[in-house]
C-alpha cells in the first residue's frame, strides 16, 4: 500500500477518535474508519485470520506513528464490554497551543530545522517547524545570512527524548573506553549537547549511579524497559562533569614569541628567558593540557610539573616510533 | 518514492489549521509557507477533501469550495475540528536543541532567544535538552561581523588559527554558520586572496572599515572543508575518541583495536589528534601523514 494512503488513514483515525462518543474498540475502528481492511463475509477461516493479523500489524504501526507526532492514544477498558480495550484521543489536550512568534524568529527556526544531518533528528526538527508554522501568518522570507549544520547526531536521540518524557527506563548496547562493550539499563534524565556532541545523562541501574553516555557510542536500537512514569529525575541534574572543572593546578610553560596565543590568554606572564616567554597556566586536566602543548608542535615547553613534561615527552616519542616505522606501524 | 506518512500527516494538519486561522490561500502561497511545491499542496487538498468522520457522507467530510479549487485557491468550508497537534517530545528536543546550539555558538541573532522562549512556552513536558557552550565567543566580534555582512563592508580582524598563528586580516564577511556546535564566519579573506571559513572563538578583535566588499558570496555553501586525501589509522580502543568526530570518519572495531578511516582537510589538526593518542597508535597511513607526525614529534622533543 503506498505511503500516501497511510497519511490519509491516520488522518481519518484521528478524526474518528477525536469525535467518538466514549471510545472505539479495535473492531469498531476496523469496521468503520476509512483505510482499514474491514472484515468481509465469504472469507475462508484461514484468509480471515491472515487479514485480521494484517490489520493488527497495521494498527500497531499507526498507533506508533501517532505517538511519534504527539498524539498518544488513550486506552479505556469498559467493564460492560468485557475486557475489550477501547481507544480515545483527547483533542483538546493534543492540539497545538497558540504560538507568539515574529517572522524573524520563525526565519531563525527555519535555519535551526535544517541543523541536524542525521535523518531521524532532522525529520523531527522539520516536523516541529511545520507544526510551529501552521498557525503563523504567511510572511515574506527574511534574509538572515545564517546557516547551521551538525554532522553528529544519533538515531538514538528521538527514542531517548520520548523515554525522558515518559519516565521510562531504556536498555542499549554501549561501548566505553573504560569498560568495553556491554548492555546498559538507564533511567534517562536529560540530553546534553556540547559542541557537536550529544550525551545522555541518567542513572545506570546496574551501577546504581549517575552516568554520562555519548550517543554516538550507542549501538543499535534503544529498547524501552518496564513501566512508564517509573522514576523521577532529580530536580537539579549536574552537568558540571561535561563543562570542565574549575582549574586548581598551575603549570609553568615556556612559549616561543608570537605563539601559544590561546594559552597566553588564560595564563599569567612570569618572565622572559632567552627565546622563551614563561607563563603560569591554570589547569585541571593534565591530559587536556598535554594535548594542547603537543599541538603547538615545539612552540611550547613544559617547565613544571614534571608529570606533565614526562607525558608530553612520552607521547612525542611514541609518535616518532610510529612515524619512523616501516610499513606504517606495528605488525 | 512516496513521501513518508508522518511528515505528510503533519503538513495535512498544518494546512487545515492555517486555513482556519488565516482564511483562504492560493496553492502557491501554501507551497511557500510549508516549503513544498504547489503540486504537492494540490495533492494534499485532494486527500483532505476525502477525509472525515466514519460514514463519510457529504456532511461528514472536510470540505473545500470547488470553484475556488479550480482557480488554485484553497478555501476551507468545513474542518471537522481538525487541528495541528502539539510538539512531541522528540520534535521539541530536536528543534530546541538545534536552536540552543546556534545560540551557544554565537551565530544566532538576538531574536533567537525570543524564538526559544516562545518554543518553551508551547511545550508541556520539561525541555529534555541542555546545551553547553563549547567555546566562548566575543559578542563584540559577532556584532562587527554581522554589521559587515548587512552593510556589505570589509571587516578588520585579528585571528588565531588552529596552529596558534596570530594574523591580522581584512575579510569580507558573507554569512555566519554553526557547524557541530561551533560558530564560524564564511568570508572572502583579502590576505589569502580566497574564500575562508574562520572560527568565531578564534577571532580576538573585529573592527569596521569603510571599505566596500568586492567579492561575491560563494553560491555553494562553503562550510564543508574539502578533504585533500583519505587517511587510515589503527588505534587501541582507548584512543578511538580522537577520530570519531573527524569529518567523514568511519570506525571499524577489529579485536582490541579500532581502524579509523577519515578525510584529511587540515593535516595539522589530524597530527595534533595523533599526538594526543600516540601511545595507543598501531599504524598510520599514508606515508605523507606519517612524515608530518614525525616532524611534529621531533619539534616537541627538541623544545622539551
Amino acid at each position: 500500500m503506498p505511503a500516501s494512503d497511510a497519511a490519509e488513514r491516520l488522518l481519518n483515525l484521528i478524526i474518528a477518535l477525536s469525535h467518538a462518543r466514549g471510545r472505539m474498540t479495535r473492531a469498531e475502528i476496523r469496521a468503520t474508519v476509512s483505510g482499514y481492511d474491514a472484515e468481509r463475509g465469504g472469507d475462508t477461516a484461514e484468509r480471515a485470520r491472515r487479514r485480521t493479523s494484517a490489520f493488527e500489524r497495521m494498527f500497531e504501526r499507526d498507533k506508533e506513528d501517532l505517538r511519534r507526532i504527539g498524539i498518544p492514544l488513550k486506552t479505556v477498558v469498559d467493564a460492560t464490554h468485557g475486557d475489550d480495550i477501547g481507544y480515545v484521543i483527547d483533542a483538546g489536550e493534543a492540539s497545538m497551543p497558540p504560538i507568539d512568534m515574529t517572522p524573524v524568529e520563525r526565519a531563525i527556526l527555519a535555519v535551526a530545522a535544517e541543523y541536524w544531518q542525521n535523518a531521524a533528528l532532522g525529520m523531527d526538527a522539520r516536523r516541529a517547524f511545520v507544526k510551529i508554522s501552521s498557525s503563523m501568518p504567511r510572511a515574506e522570507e527574511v534574509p538572515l545570512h545564517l546557516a547551521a549544520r551538525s554532522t553528529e547526531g544519533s538515531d538514538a536521540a528521538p527514542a531517548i527524548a520520548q523515554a525522558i518524557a515518559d519516565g521510562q527506563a531504556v536498555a542499549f548496547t554501549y561501548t566505553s573506553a573504560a569498560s568495553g562493550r556491554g548492555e546498559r539499563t538507564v533511567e534517562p534524565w536529560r540530553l546534553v549537547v556540547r559542541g557537536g556532541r550529544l550525551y545522555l545523562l541518567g542513572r545506570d541501574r546496574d551501577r546504581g549511579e549517575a552516568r554520562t553516555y555519548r550517543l554516538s557510542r550507542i549501538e543499535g536500537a534503544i529498547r524501552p524497559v518496564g513501566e512508564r512514569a517509573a522514576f523521577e529525575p532529580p530536580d537539579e541534574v549536574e552537568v558540571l562533569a561535561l563543562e570542565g572543572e574549575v582549574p586548581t593546578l598551575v603549570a609553568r610553560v615556556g612559549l616561543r614569541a608570537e605563539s601559544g596565543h590561546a594559552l597566553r590568554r588564560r595564563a599569567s606572564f612570569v618572565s622572559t628567558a632567552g627565546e622563551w616567554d614563561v607563563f603560569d597556566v591554570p589547569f585541571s586536566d593534565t591530559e587536556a593540557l598535554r594535548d594542547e602543548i603537543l599541538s603547538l608542535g615545539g612552540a611550547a615547553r613544559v617547565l613544571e610539573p614534571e608529570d606533565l613534561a614526562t607525558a608530553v615527552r612520552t607521547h612525542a616519542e611514541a609518535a616518532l616510533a610510529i612515524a619512523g616505522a616501516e610499513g606504517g606501524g606495528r605488525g | 518514492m512516496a513521501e513518508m506518512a508522518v511528515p505528510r500527516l503533519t503538513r495535512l494538519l498544518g494546512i487545515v489549521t492555517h486555513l482556519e486561522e488565516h482564511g483562504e490561500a492560493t496553492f502557491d502561497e501554501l507551497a511557500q509557507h510549508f516549503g513544498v511545491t504547489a503540486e504537492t499542496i494540490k495533492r494534499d487538498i485532494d486527500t483532505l477533501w476525502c477525509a472525515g468522520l466514519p460514514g463519510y457522507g457529504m456532511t461528514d467530510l472536510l470540505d473545500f469550495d470547488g470553484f475556488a479549487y479550480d482557480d488554485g485557491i484553497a478555501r476551507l468550508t468545513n474542518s471537522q475540528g481538525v487541528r495541528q497537534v502539539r510538539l512531541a517530545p522528540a520534535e521539541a528536543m530536536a528543534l530546541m536543541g538545534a536552536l540552543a546550539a546556534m545560540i551557544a555558538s554565537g551565530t544566532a541573532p538576538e531574536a533567537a532567544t525570543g524564538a526559544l522562549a516562545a518554543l518553551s512556552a508551547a511545550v508541556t513536558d520539561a525541555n529534555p535538552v541542555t546545551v553547553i557552550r563549547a567555546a566562548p565567543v566575543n559578542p563584540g566580534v559577532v556584532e562587527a561581523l554581522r554589521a559587515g555582512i548587512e552593510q556589505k563592508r570589509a571587516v578588520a580582524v585579528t585571528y588565531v588559527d588552529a596552529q596558534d598563528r596570530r594574523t591580522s586580516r581584512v575579510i569580507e564577511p558573507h554569512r555566519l554558520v554553526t557547524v557541530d556546535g561551533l560558530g564560524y564566519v564564511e568570508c572572502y579573506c583579502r590576505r589569502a586572496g580566497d574564500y575562508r571559513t574562520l572560527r568565531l572563538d578564534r577571532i580576538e578583535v573585529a573592527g569596521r572599515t569603510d571599505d566596500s566588499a568586492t567579492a561575491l558570496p560563494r553560491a555553494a555553501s562553503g562550510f564543508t572543508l574539502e578533504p585533500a586525501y583519505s587517511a587510515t589509522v589503527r588505534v587501541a580502543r582507548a584512543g578511538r575518541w580522537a577520530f570519531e568526530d573527524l569529518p567523514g570518519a568511519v570506525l571499524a572495531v577489529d579485536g582490541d583495536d579500532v581502524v579509523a578511516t577519515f578525510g584529511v582537510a587540515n593535516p595539522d589538526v589530524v597530527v595534533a589528534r595523533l599526538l594526543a593518542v600516540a601511545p595507543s597508535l598501531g599504524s598510520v597511513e599514508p606515508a605523507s601523514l606519517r612524515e608530518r607526525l614525525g616532524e611534529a614529534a621531533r619539534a616537541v622533543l627538541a623544545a622539551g
Side-chain angles (χ1 to χ4, degrees):
Chain A
M1 173 173 292
S4 56
D5 290 342
E8 187 176 346
R9 184 180 68 242
L10 287 166
L11 181 61
N12 282 319
L13 181 60
I14 292 170
I15 296 170
L17 288 174
S18 307
H19 289 263
R21 268 189 300 270
R23 53 177 213 145
M24 286 178 88
T25 63
R26 278 174 186 241
E28 285 164 347
I29 289 167
R30 185 178 176 190
T32 63
V33 175
S34 170
Y36 291 108
D37 185 16
E39 283 180 277
R40 288 177 227 155
D43 275 352
T44 62
E46 171 58 23
R47 190 170 154 72
R49 208 165 29 242
R50 270 211 313 276
R51 288 185 36 211
T52 297
S53 72
F55 163 77
E56 292 292 338
R57 280 198 305 277
M58 182 184 273
F59 184 64
E60 287 305 313
R61 247 197 336 267
D62 288 352
K63 265 174 32 184
E64 194 46 50
D65 278 348
L66 288 187
R67 189 172 143 78
R68 193 175 305 156
I69 71 161
I71 316 178
L73 297 195
K74 293 197 169 151
T75 52
V76 184
V77 180
D78 185 346
T80 59
H81 291 76
D83 287 333
D84 214 2
I85 295 171
Y87 298 91
V88 287
I89 287 173
D90 183 338
E93 193 193 326
S95 76
M96 186 83 186
I99 294 270
D100 183 15
M101 205 174 273
T102 66
V104 176
E105 289 171 348
R106 177 175 181 260
I108 295 169
L109 274 193
V111 175
E114 298 300 321
Y115 181 61
W116 305 106
Q117 298 298 286
N118 172 268
L121 278 167
M123 281 198 301
D124 277 319
R126 280 190 287 276
R127 270 205 320 275
F129 178 66
V130 167
K131 287 186 176 179
I132 299 289
S133 298
S134 301
S135 62
M136 287 190 64
R138 297 182 298 281
E140 290 297 307
E141 279 185 47
V142 184
L144 283 178
H145 309 290
L146 186 67
R149 288 284 183 279
S150 172
T151 54
E152 173 144 333
S154 162
D155 291 347
I160 291 174
Q162 182 72 49
I164 291 172
D166 290 343
Q168 190 173 23
V170 289
F172 51 81
T173 306
Y174 189 76
T175 305
S176 78
S179 46
R181 188 163 173 271
E183 288 296 302
R184 309 293 158 91
T185 305
V186 177
E187 294 171 1
W189 292 344
R190 285 193 86 68
L191 286 163
V192 177
V193 180
R194 180 171 191 262
R197 298 173 175 193
L198 275 163
Y199 301 87
L200 163 65
L201 247 69
R203 181 176 164 275
D204 188 310
R205 278 197 173 162
D206 300 319
R207 288 161 182 79
E209 285 174 358
R211 289 286 164 100
T212 305
Y213 305 90
R214 186 151 174 213
L215 262 55
S216 63
R217 292 183 180 166
I218 294 175
E219 284 173 46
I222 298 287
R223 303 180 300 280
V225 174
E227 295 298 309
R228 291 181 189 149
F231 62 90
E232 283 282 326
D235 291 340
E236 286 287 318
V237 176
E238 286 280 327
V239 289
L240 279 177
L242 288 165
E243 296 195 70
E245 293 152 42
V246 182
T248 50
L249 304 167
V250 176
R252 185 155 290 189
V253 174
L255 296 170
R256 290 193 201 276
E258 274 303 301
S259 67
H261 302 292
L263 276 178
R264 282 170 196 255
R265 257 181 287 166
R266 57 178 205 270
S268 48
F269 179 73
V270 178
S271 64
T272 301
E275 58 187 294
W276 298 97
D277 297 336
V278 179
F279 287 86
D280 278 345
V281 184
F283 72 104
S284 59
D285 181 343
T286 303
E287 293 182 2
L289 185 57
R290 175 199 71 204
D291 294 348
E292 198 172 353
I293 304 255
L294 282 165
S295 75
L296 291 172
R301 65 191 297 193
V302 180
L303 304 171
E304 289 169 28
E306 187 49 40
D307 62 338
L308 178 63
T310 306
V312 168
R313 213 160 38 239
T314 308
H315 277 241
E317 281 162 0
L320 202 53
I322 288 291
E326 286 293 319
R330 65 169 145 92
Chain B
M1 199 182 84
E3 187 182 3
M4 279 189 286
V6 169
R8 179 151 192 256
L9 173 62
T10 307
R11 188 176 61 245
L12 293 174
L13 298 172
I15 290 170
V16 175
T17 300
H18 188 77
L19 295 172
E20 279 269 90
E21 299 247 338
H22 303 289
E24 66 180 43
T26 65
F27 296 169
D28 286 331
E29 287 171 332
L30 289 173
Q32 204 220 334
H33 192 67
F34 286 99
V36 292
T37 64
E39 289 71 41
T40 299
I41 293 292
K42 188 163 179 293
R43 270 200 303 279
D44 287 346
I45 303 287
D46 293 344
T47 299
L48 286 167
W49 217 334
C50 298
L53 285 163
Y56 306 99
M58 289 291 282
T59 56
D60 299 320
L61 299 176
L62 274 92
D63 207 5
F64 293 85
D65 183 323
F67 295 109
Y69 175 90
D70 290 340
D71 293 336
I73 294 167
R75 183 182 297 149
L76 186 70
T77 54
N78 187 345
S79 74
Q80 299 294 358
V82 167
R83 293 283 305 169
Q84 185 56 276
V85 296
R86 65 170 60 250
L87 298 181
E91 294 169 346
M93 184 277 294
L95 192 56
M96 293 170 89
L99 185 58
M102 287 168 62
I103 294 171
S105 76
T107 61
E110 211 170 316
T113 317
L116 191 58
L119 267 181
S120 308
V123 175
T124 31
D125 301 303
N127 173 17
V129 60
T130 303
V131 174
I132 297 173
R133 183 175 295 255
V137 170
N138 179 347
V141 164
V142 179
E143 207 174 298
L145 293 173
R146 194 171 285 127
I149 293 168
E150 278 161 13
Q151 296 158 15
K152 296 190 168 54
R153 285 184 187 282
V155 176
V157 301
T158 306
Y159 184 70
V160 180
D161 74 12
Q163 290 71 55
D164 220 57
R165 292 180 291 249
R166 175 195 263 126
T167 49
S168 292
R169 320 158 170 233
V170 175
I171 63 167
E172 300 176 6
H174 297 142
R175 187 162 78 149
L176 297 176
V177 297
T178 299
V179 182
D180 288 341
L182 290 174
Y184 299 80
V185 57
E186 287 175 357
C187 60
Y188 179 80
C189 174
R190 291 186 179 172
R191 183 169 171 275
D194 202 356
Y195 292 92
R196 288 284 184 268
T197 302
L198 306 180
R199 251 174 79 163
L200 294 181
D201 63 312
R202 293 184 173 278
I203 299 177
E204 293 185 327
V205 190
R208 61 163 285 160
T209 73
D210 291 326
D211 236 14
S212 292
T214 54
L216 291 170
R218 264 199 293 211
S221 58
F223 58 82
T224 32
L225 292 167
E226 287 297 324
Y229 59 88
S230 170
T232 303
V233 170
R234 174 176 285 271
V235 64
R237 278 190 182 198
R240 71 172 280 158
W241 63 268
F243 306 100
E244 59 193 8
D245 64 343
L246 290 174
V250 176
L251 278 72
V253 175
D254 179 15
D256 291 334
D257 289 350
V258 172
V259 177
T261 307
F262 49 89
V264 180
N266 182 342
D268 292 318
V269 171
V270 175
V271 165
R273 296 289 179 86
L274 291 169
L275 282 167
V277 293
S280 304
L281 286 176
S283 64
V284 175
E285 296 289 353
S288 57
L289 183 58
R290 272 202 312 278
E291 278 163 29
R292 296 289 289 258
L293 178 63
E295 284 166 25
R298 274 189 289 274
V300 168
L301 291 171

